[in-house]
Every structure is written in structure tokens, then in C-alpha cells.
Amino acid sequence: MLKAIFFDIDDTLYDSTSLTTMARKNSIRAMIDAGLPVSDEEELSKLLEKVIQKFGSNYSRHYDELLKELGVAWNPKIIAAGVVAYEHTKAGYLKPFPRIVPILLKLKEKYKLGVISNGLAVKQWEKLIGLGIHHLFDVVATSEELKYEKPQKEIFEFAVKKLNLKPEECAVVGDKLDSDILGGNRAGMHTIRILKGKHRNEKPASKAERPDFEIADISEIFEVLEKMK
Amino acid sequence: MLKAIFFDIDDTLYDSTSLTTMARKNSIRAMIDAGLPVSDEEELSKLLEKVIQKFGSNYSRHYDELLKELGVAWNPKIIAAGVVAYEHTKAGYLKPFPRIVPILLKLKEKYKLGVISNGLAVKQWEKLIGLGIHHLFDVVATSEELKYEKPQKEIFEFAVKKLNLKPEECAVVGDKLDSDILGGNRAGMHTIRILKGKHRNEKPASKAERPDFEIADISEIFEVLEKMK
């Protein structure tokens, strides 16, 4: 019998793809407004993407590196313009997907709820708090704290054990086949893929990435839970 | 003849005292809400103040240190709650003092405008951008970039020279006697003290800290400028 449901955060609980896309776009526009001597948004967008790939998404000086790539001298006005635009846009987009909150509340009546997330612990908690859902979860497992990351099965096993459950009593809901679904399958949990965000059109690369269920929207989870019985 | 006016940022252009007070208060409340096992807001407020004194206001891990001081294990939920509450409160309070914007626009018709600020360049620019006034200044001098800080006269001299002016052609507007006014006097500029924020009741410690003029509100600057003629 199912006793717990674990959620991924980005593109599962909120629209991370739109947030990132729009925040980067607005940061580029703000930097142009603040005096960046290049105004091709497309070109800047690609260069910023390259910088983020190179230094990782948790690096705190992407805009400093963007200026270096452009051969532009360090400029605190331009950098600050990018930071402020990013933060303002983030505040506007960091909202739960429609129906997430009432559905989590309804699920909470019958199941334990958890989060399994790759990333820095404080940063991931900031998202849950910004989304206003931080009080809803019985366990939040982050890769920074556990030194294991999805799809490694240890991070899933930690979350399951934390609730004194067996893997077959737990389900994972996430958008990424090679992370949420692969890891959940490896750990012996039920896996539910949610078709949201930039990975929604991807196909499983192997049998191990095949989810038990696919849903287009969180509201379909109740049908899936019925089928599991 | 007066040709330029230089402004301090905190408690001169916006209500930094209220922002800091309310942001710290709300961060403490959010940390209690997130599970901090101490709930005396007064005690926590004093302890946080102590931590900020010890590590400086630009240190990025005040809440981590607060937990250490309390003997509480590192907890990303509590830390993130403090960070998010601080940032949300900041967004609400980072507004120009009433009348600042139309008055700067009016002053700009006749004078060059500048900012002289102690602090990290990107952080100070973030304030100007958040306030929506970053396009109004002809020069922004920060202590991080210049390696001199108020009340050292070099930072004032830099700003004056940047506009090809003489000190006697420039005025400084700021709230702090031992910083804005002392430094402006040392550099040979006109000094205007604005009675705002937590330093508003302080008395000059020496003749060198005595401002040429005192105003209770920025709208009084026009009378001062008339008197200077």
C-alpha cells in the first residue's frame, strides 16, 4: 500500500523552465539598459548560457564572467542591473504550478509527503519557502546534505528510510527521466513522470528510465493512485 | 558657483534604517516559524545584531553564525527562511524617500549629480537600481573600487575630479556626521546634513564634523541652494 509520495522541485512543483528563461532574458535587457555595449539579445543569451554551462548554475558571478567573455571591463552598474532584474523576475515567477497547493494538502490527508532534490540545501529550501509550501513536507532530502544526487539510489533510499518505509510503499513524482525516474526505479519505488518543462518531450533512453505512469498535470495524480491500488 | 551635488545612499536617498530593522525582524520571525527552538524575538534580535557586528554587514552567512551562537545544528530550512524573509522585506522597503525622485530630476536640470558611498560596488549599485534612480547620476564612487572610504577625503576628491570640478563647486548631502560631513568638510566641499535615520539625533563631535547646513527633508534643499548663492 502506498504510504508516501516524494516530489522533485524544479518543473514539478513550479515552472522552473519559464522562471529561468524569463529571468535570464530580463537580466540581459537590464544589462543592455545599464550600458552593456552589445545589444544583440540572442547573442548575449547564448553567451550567458555558455558561461552558466562552464561555471555551473550555483556560481555567483555569471555576469562578471559574461563581461570577461565580451572583453568588457568589470562594471558594477551592469552586473548589479543583471542581478536585480534576475531577482525581480524570479520573485514574479516563483509560484506553484496551478493546483499544486490544494492537491498537496489533499494528498497530505492520506500520505506522507517529501522532496528529493539535487542542489544546495539552502537554495532548494529557499524555493520551497518562496513557493509557500515548506511546511507541507515530512522530509526534504538534498544532494548537498547527503553527498548523493539523483539518479543515485542512495538519496531515494535515505528519504524512504527517514520515514521508516519500504521503497514499494513510496512513489516519486518528477519531470526528469535520467534523474527522478531512473533513480526512483533503481530504488524500487513507484515512478510517476510529470510532463512539464523543457524535458517534457524526451523519450526514455533505456528500460530503466521508463516511468510506471505519466501525467500531463498534477491533477491526474489521483487517477494514478487509484490504478496503483 | 555650485555645479554638482553628491549624495550618500543609506538613510539619505532611502530609509535604510527601517529596511534593516524590519528585514531583520521579519527574518527572525520566519526562522522561528521554520523551527528555530528559541522564540524570544528580542533575544534573537540582539544576538543577530552581535553576529552582524562581528562578521560585518557584507558577510553572507549571518544566519549560519546565529545558529552556531545558539548551539543549534546547521539547518538549511531555518537559514533559507531567514534569507527569503529578509529579501522579501527588502523588496518592500527599498523605495526612495518621498519626493526624492522629482527633486533629483529637478536638481539635474541645473547640476551634475553624483553618489559617494562606502560599500561593495555591486551591492551599492543594486540599491540604486532597485530604487530606480541609477540613470540619474553622472558619477558613482564606491569605496570598494577606490580603496578609500568616507570620511577619507580621497573618495570625495575622486568624485569631484571625475566631473572636472573644484571642491568649492560641489556639495555633499548625507546623514552621517563622521562620514559624509567630516569627509566633505575635509575635501573643501559644501556640506548638507539630512536629518534622517538612526543618526539623526547625533551631535558633531568636533568642528570638523559640523555641516554647513542641516535639512530635515530633501525638499528643503532648494532653500539651502538659494542661501549658498
Side-chain angles (χ1 to χ4, degrees):
Chain A
M1 203 180 78
L2 195 76
K3 295 189 176 163
I5 308 173
F6 294 95
F7 293 86
D8 166 55
I9 301 178
D10 293 343
D11 281 335
T12 297
L13 296 175
Y14 80 102
D15 191 350
S16 162
T17 294
S18 293
L19 185 154
T20 307
T21 306
M22 293 312 298
R24 288 182 193 167
K25 188 190 281 279
N26 287 342
S27 74
I28 284 167
R29 289 179 174 175
M31 288 189 281
I32 295 169
D33 178 68
L36 195 63
V38 178
S39 54
D40 182 334
E41 290 184 35
E42 199 66 38
E43 181 197 335
L44 289 167
S45 178
K46 277 179 191 154
L47 203 56
L48 181 59
E49 185 61 44
K50 190 181 135 190
V51 165
I52 294 165
Q53 288 288 330
K54 186 170 165 190
F55 292 90
S57 65
N58 290 320
Y59 183 70
S60 66
R61 295 184 177 275
H62 291 142
Y63 304 134
D64 302 61
E65 296 296 333
L66 182 71
L67 294 187
K68 274 191 210 164
E69 288 278 344
L70 291 165
V72 173
W74 187 75
N75 184 316
K77 181 180 183 181
I78 294 173
I79 293 166
V83 172
V84 170
Y86 193 98
E87 292 303 318
H88 283 189
T89 309
K90 192 175 83 176
Y93 278 84
L94 190 62
K95 308 292 173 203
F97 271 127
R99 293 182 291 277
I100 279 286
V101 177
I103 286 171
L104 288 176
L105 290 170
K106 198 165 160 97
L107 292 172
K108 204 168 163 54
E109 293 170 9
K110 287 196 179 174
Y111 308 98
K112 295 278 181 188
L113 301 181
V115 163
I116 299 175
S117 177
N118 284 352
L120 298 177
V122 170
K123 212 169 157 178
Q124 299 314 95
W125 272 109
E126 283 179 18
K127 292 176 188 171
L128 296 177
I129 291 164
L131 292 168
I133 56 179
H134 52 304
H135 287 306
L136 300 182
F137 300 101
D138 301 287
V139 57
V140 173
T142 69
S143 61
E144 184 195 20
E145 287 170 286
L146 294 170
K147 317 293 176 208
Y148 289 102
E149 62 174 30
K150 299 183 284 186
Q152 290 178 293
K153 67 177 180 179
E154 286 84 351
I155 189 167
F156 295 86
E157 288 171 347
F158 169 86
V160 169
K161 274 183 199 146
K162 191 87 179 172
L163 297 178
N164 292 313
L165 297 175
K166 291 170 194 151
E168 60 270 28
E169 295 172 318
C170 301
V172 175
V173 180
D175 66 307
K176 286 179 82 175
L177 293 168
D178 59 1
S179 164
D180 306 301
I181 305 307
L182 177 59
N185 284 340
R186 281 178 178 169
M189 300 158 83
H190 302 274
T191 52
I192 304 168
R193 179 192 187 187
I194 186 158
L195 298 161
K196 295 279 188 191
K198 63 185 171 198
H199 301 291
R200 70 185 174 282
N201 295 318
E202 290 174 8
K203 302 262 178 276
S206 66
K207 202 184 157 195
E209 288 191 2
R210 222 174 283 161
D212 297 324
F213 301 94
E214 273 190 354
I215 57 179
D217 187 88
I218 192 68
S219 55
E220 296 166 27
I221 197 168
F222 298 107
E223 291 167 47
V224 167
L225 296 174
E226 276 303 311
K227 281 183 201 163
M228 273 188 202
K229 279 179 185 172
Chain B
M1 203 181 79
L2 195 75
K3 296 190 175 161
I5 307 173
F6 294 95
F7 293 86
D8 166 56
I9 301 178
D10 293 343
D11 280 335
T12 297
L13 296 175
Y14 80 102
D15 190 349
S16 161
T17 294
S18 294
L19 184 154
T20 307
T21 306
M22 293 312 300
R24 287 182 193 167
K25 189 190 281 279
N26 287 340
S27 74
I28 284 168
R29 289 179 174 176
M31 286 189 282
I32 295 168
D33 178 68
L36 195 64
V38 179
S39 55
D40 182 333
E41 290 186 33
E42 201 64 38
E43 182 198 334
L44 289 168
S45 179
K46 278 178 190 155
L47 202 57
L48 181 59
E49 188 60 45
K50 193 180 133 190
V51 165
I52 294 165
Q53 287 290 330
K54 187 170 164 190
F55 293 89
S57 64
N58 290 320
Y59 184 69
S60 65
R61 294 184 178 273
H62 290 142
Y63 303 133
D64 302 61
E65 296 296 333
L66 183 71
L67 294 186
K68 274 190 210 164
E69 288 278 342
L70 291 166
V72 174
W74 187 75
N75 183 317
K77 180 181 183 181
I78 295 174
I79 293 166
V83 171
V84 170
Y86 194 97
E87 292 302 319
H88 283 189
T89 309
K90 192 175 85 177
Y93 278 85
L94 190 63
K95 308 291 172 201
F97 271 128
R99 293 182 292 276
I100 280 286
V101 177
I103 286 171
L104 288 176
L105 290 170
K106 197 164 160 103
L107 292 172
K108 204 168 164 56
E109 293 170 8
K110 286 194 179 175
Y111 307 99
K112 295 278 181 188
L113 301 181
V115 163
I116 299 175
S117 178
N118 285 352
L120 298 176
V122 170
K123 212 170 157 177
Q124 300 314 95
W125 272 109
E126 283 179 16
K127 293 175 188 172
L128 297 176
I129 292 163
L131 292 167
I133 57 179
H134 53 302
H135 287 307
L136 300 181
F137 301 101
D138 302 287
V139 57
V140 173
T142 69
S143 61
E144 184 195 20
E145 287 170 286
L146 294 170
K147 318 291 176 208
Y148 290 103
E149 62 174 29
K150 297 183 284 187
Q152 289 178 294
K153 67 176 181 180
E154 286 84 351
I155 189 168
F156 296 86
E157 288 171 348
F158 169 87
V160 170
K161 274 184 200 146
K162 190 86 181 176
L163 298 178
N164 291 314
L165 296 175
K166 291 168 194 154
E168 60 270 27
E169 295 173 318
C170 301
V172 175
V173 181
D175 66 307
K176 288 180 81 174
L177 293 168
D178 60 0
S179 164
D180 305 301
I181 306 306
L182 178 58
N185 284 340
R186 281 177 178 168
M189 301 157 83
H190 303 274
T191 52
I192 304 169
R193 179 193 187 186
I194 186 157
L195 299 161
K196 295 281 188 191
K198 63 187 171 196
H199 301 292
R200 69 185 175 282
N201 296 317
E202 289 173 9
K203 302 264 177 272
S206 67
K207 203 184 155 194
E209 288 192 2
R210 221 173 283 161
D212 298 322
F213 301 94
E214 272 189 355
I215 57 178
D217 187 89
I218 192 67
S219 55
E220 296 166 28
I221 197 168
F222 299 106
E223 292 166 46
V224 168
L225 296 174
E226 275 303 311
K227 282 183 200 159
M228 273 188 202
K229 280 180 184 170

